[in-house]
Amino acid sequence: MKRYYLIIISFVFISQNVSAETKTDAYLIDEEPIESVDENKPYKGEFFDTRLNFTLTNENIFGDPSKATVPNYPGWRFDVPNEQGTLFFDNYDTRFSGFETLSHAVLYKLEKQGNWDLEGSFVLRMNQRAERNIVFTDAGSYLRAAYWFSKDRSDMNRLSFLMFPTSSDRFRLGYSYRLSWGGNGVYNRTKYSVPGIKIQYENERFYMFAGAKSSVVINREIDEERAVLGGLAGMGFDITDIVRIEANGGYFDRGSNELPDLVDTNVSLYGGSLQLAIHKGMPVASSIDYKLYRNDPERVVNLFRKPYYPGGLSWLVTAEGTVLGQVLKKAAGEPGVTDVQYGYAGDVNVRLKADYFRFRMDLQYRDLAFMLHRTPSIPAFTIIPSDYGLQSNWFGSVGVDYHIKSSSYTIGLIAGLEQPATFTVNDKITVVRSSGDFSEIPKNEEVLPLTAVKLVQRMDLSESFSAIFDVYLERDPNLTRLERSGTEELFDIKPVFDEENINRFGLNFTVQARF
């Protein structure tokens, strides 16, 4: 069976949110306080960062919804698009798809005592997935004490102590969210919270931090719960006004190995990340999912601002690399022997703005050991055997847009190409799209790259309301389904290419409010 690689060239309309810069500007405020806050002013609690989305969606317009498929394509409906409704280059720097209906209840208090700023914020996220399925989660509740070396707070020289009583997931390592590590997922076997603490010193051109987080997991050697700890540290320095270098790293005790011959040995994860940024007229912004919620009236004006077009040329280029090491069972050798498995990831991100024109580019690389470091590995808790044939994951995407100020309308183009990660065992190739999402390729076939383009039109109806229409085309030549070889053998099944759904044409029309 022959499959043909598809190259797509297309002009499309694209949302204002095509740029990660838009998202990092939008909803949350950095950990550091900003100037001009009334002393000892009490702040009452309220709901904010509310996102309402009403969407007409179909992830595969020309597919047949009467046929069972994996993944599933339900057909035309009013609903949140499933994971097939977002493409591999979407939402690169955030955990959210953008179609959620959710809000946050924030109870915030700030007091000033001499050189000290004392803050507390209780943050409850409500994600409405269905009428009777509303998920409540902690969204980074925290306590913070910051000591300013200048009592009038005339400079940025300060020391801060940040404590997360319930969830320290916002305290992560790495820089791009897609490549981040050391969040709550590092303790994915716990049923308890993952509190943490971060101590940071900073001034106008330099910062450094150290911190820790902990949880409780089952020790398989004694079948009792035991505490596990992790340590994190990092620093950053503005070498010049346009060059910044940053590095962070950590060590995490993840609890005992689950394999019978290694229950007396703990799995440990350690590593480091390095980022170099060059920029002019555009800040080096972190993911919105790293930031803290503050219900502060002085800051609310910044939460929902539209993309800013000051005129002239501004740009940002970042390059990031991460190396992880994890102590796991040695694939070959005597029982009870461990070794270190290394995983690698990196990316390059470019953002450019010239008057009302914007350009973005994302290039990313992840090897299989990095992608599966939270599982950990394959087979689980074991170093990937040397006789596995491995293919790393990489992708590239390019986007442009142009904002028409008079009509509050933005047009542009985005397209991408992705090579999925794979492993080969006994001539059987398995595609790994993410941790837990595996699919086998038919025998004697090869894995080809995915291609996708996306068309979006966005009209801002007011400061808080928008109408968004996006159409996308994706070709995944590696999409398979399982087919029974004969009627007599119940388990005689084999993978075959899902020819009807390899090419997907999807649509989302969303009316959105954010306030």
Side-chain angles (χ1 to χ4, degrees):
M1 178 177 58
K2 294 183 178 180
R3 291 177 297 147
Y4 298 95
Y5 177 70
L6 179 65
I7 299 177
I8 304 170
I9 301 176
S10 175
F11 289 96
V12 300
F13 296 98
I14 194 162
S15 166
Q16 285 181 327
N17 287 336
V18 66
S19 170
E21 168 210 351
T22 303
K23 293 178 179 175
T24 52
D25 282 344
Y27 320 118
L28 307 176
I29 305 302
D30 285 318
E31 177 188 332
E32 300 78 10
I34 63 173
E35 64 278 3
S36 182
V37 179
D38 295 339
E39 260 189 63
N40 299 318
K41 181 176 179 180
Y43 298 109
K44 65 181 181 179
E46 61 181 79
F47 291 88
F48 81 115
D49 188 10
T50 298
R51 314 176 194 181
L52 299 172
N53 290 280
F54 179 82
T55 302
L56 171 66
T57 184
N58 190 334
E59 294 87 355
N60 192 2
I61 293 175
F62 298 118
D64 186 352
S66 67
K67 295 183 178 180
T69 58
V70 178
N72 184 37
Y73 306 108
W76 290 103
R77 66 198 187 281
F78 298 110
D79 199 359
V80 176
N82 63 27
E83 61 182 12
Q84 308 306 315
T86 55
L87 305 180
F88 57 84
F89 50 67
D90 286 335
N91 308 304
Y92 185 75
D93 219 21
T94 178
R95 61 184 292 183
F96 294 106
S97 70
F99 296 103
E100 297 87 359
T101 289
L102 55 82
S103 188
H104 300 80
V106 180
L107 304 177
Y108 176 75
K109 179 71 173 179
L110 167 67
E111 293 184 352
K112 296 192 174 186
Q113 300 291 334
N115 292 56
W116 289 93
D117 284 353
L118 305 174
E119 293 180 86
S121 185
F122 176 83
V123 187
L124 179 67
R125 177 183 296 126
M126 293 149 286
N127 192 345
Q128 185 173 328
R129 298 182 179 178
E131 181 181 359
R132 298 182 181 180
N133 183 12
I134 301 177
V135 179
F136 293 85
T137 54
D138 182 271
S141 300
Y142 67 92
L143 298 164
R144 183 176 180 272
Y147 180 83
W148 296 75
F149 290 85
S150 172
K151 191 171 183 179
D152 62 1
R153 295 157 176 77
S154 58
D155 60 48
M156 293 288 290
N157 194 26
R158 61 191 173 185
L159 179 68
S160 62
F161 302 84
L162 176 63
M163 293 151 280
F164 297 96
T166 305
S167 172
S168 58
D169 193 55
R170 293 188 183 278
F171 186 16
R172 306 172 72 92
L173 299 170
Y175 300 94
S176 298
Y177 194 83
R178 187 77 64 93
L179 302 185
S180 65
W181 60 286
N184 286 359
V186 76
Y187 296 123
N188 56 358
R189 290 184 287 164
T190 187
K191 61 180 181 180
Y192 297 101
S193 60
V194 186
I197 183 171
K198 178 183 180 183
I199 302 171
Q200 179 164 308
Y201 168 79
E202 62 196 304
N203 57 34
E204 293 287 350
R205 303 186 69 88
F206 171 79
Y207 74 86
M208 61 179 180
F209 70 83
K213 55 179 62 181
S214 70
S215 193
V216 175
V217 299
I218 296 292
N219 184 306
R220 294 302 178 187
E221 184 180 15
I222 59 176
D223 285 328
E224 295 284 347
E225 294 178 340
R226 289 294 180 266
V228 286
L229 296 167
L232 307 85
M235 61 187 301
F237 179 62
D238 288 325
I239 300 174
T240 70
D241 290 340
I242 66 170
V243 179
R244 175 186 293 183
I245 187 169
E246 300 175 276
N248 58 42
Y251 177 92
F252 301 90
D253 176 4
R254 303 190 64 190
S256 60
N257 196 305
E258 297 280 351
L259 300 177
D261 58 331
L262 283 170
V263 293
D264 60 343
T265 303
N266 282 9
V267 175
S268 57
L269 173 71
Y270 57 89
S273 299
L274 177 70
Q275 177 173 264
L276 176 66
I278 306 174
H279 64 110
K280 184 175 182 180
M282 190 177 291
V284 182
S286 61
S287 166
I288 63 172
D289 297 312
Y290 293 174
K291 301 173 187 286
L292 304 178
Y293 278 95
R294 285 186 171 92
N295 192 353
D296 182 339
E298 296 292 338
R299 299 170 169 88
V300 169
V301 295
N302 295 319
L303 295 181
F304 315 109
R305 67 187 181 192
K306 301 298 181 183
Y308 180 50
Y309 298 93
L313 179 67
S314 57
W315 50 269
L316 167 68
V317 179
T318 62
E320 174 183 352
T322 294
V323 179
L324 300 182
Q326 190 156 210
V327 177
L328 301 168
K329 179 179 179 177
K330 196 170 183 179
E334 297 184 9
V337 178
T338 62
D339 204 345
V340 178
Q341 175 169 275
Y342 291 98
Y344 303 91
D347 68 5
V348 176
N349 310 111
V350 179
R351 305 288 183 264
L352 181 144
K353 184 188 296 183
D355 296 327
Y356 293 100
F357 171 83
R358 296 189 300 179
F359 169 84
R360 67 170 289 177
M361 181 180 71
D362 295 311
L363 303 174
Q364 177 223 271
Y365 170 86
R366 298 180 298 174
D367 71 3
L368 195 61
F370 180 90
M371 291 180 66
L372 301 179
H373 75 268
R374 288 188 299 180
T375 306
S377 193
I378 185 169
F381 297 94
T382 303
I383 291 175
I384 300 173
S386 58
D387 58 350
Y388 280 25
L390 302 181
Q391 167 68 55
S392 298
N393 164 246
W394 58 262
F395 89 79
S397 67
V398 176
V400 296
D401 67 43
Y402 186 82
H403 178 63
I404 303 174
K405 184 179 180 180
S406 60
S407 59
S408 298
Y409 184 69
T410 304
I411 61 175
L413 165 72
I414 188 168
L417 178 73
E418 179 182 38
Q419 177 69 43
T422 67
F423 65 88
T424 304
V425 184
N426 297 326
D427 296 326
K428 293 182 179 180
I429 302 176
T430 301
V431 173
V432 181
R433 292 178 171 83
S434 63
S435 180
D437 186 358
F438 298 177
S439 60
E440 187 180 331
I441 295 296
K443 193 174 182 179
N444 299 323
E445 296 288 355
E446 61 179 335
V447 175
L448 298 177
L450 288 73
T451 55
V453 293
K454 193 169 190 178
L455 166 106
V456 181
Q457 299 180 70
R458 178 184 179 114
M459 178 69 70
D460 291 312
L461 306 175
S462 68
E463 189 65 24
S464 302
F465 291 82
S466 302
I468 306 168
F469 176 75
D470 62 87
V471 178
Y472 52 89
L473 176 62
E474 181 182 58
R475 176 173 173 80
D476 182 355
N478 311 303
L479 191 64
T480 60
R481 57 184 173 85
L482 295 178
E483 186 176 86
R484 188 177 299 170
S485 299
T487 57
E488 296 182 0
E489 296 293 333
L490 180 61
F491 298 104
D492 185 14
I493 57 177
K494 63 179 181 179
V496 296
F497 286 115
D498 189 357
E499 298 289 350
E500 293 185 9
N501 296 301
I502 281 179
N503 295 307
R504 287 195 304 116
F505 182 67
L507 176 150
N508 299 310
F509 175 72
T510 302
V511 177
Q512 180 183 89
R514 290 185 171 179
F515 51 88

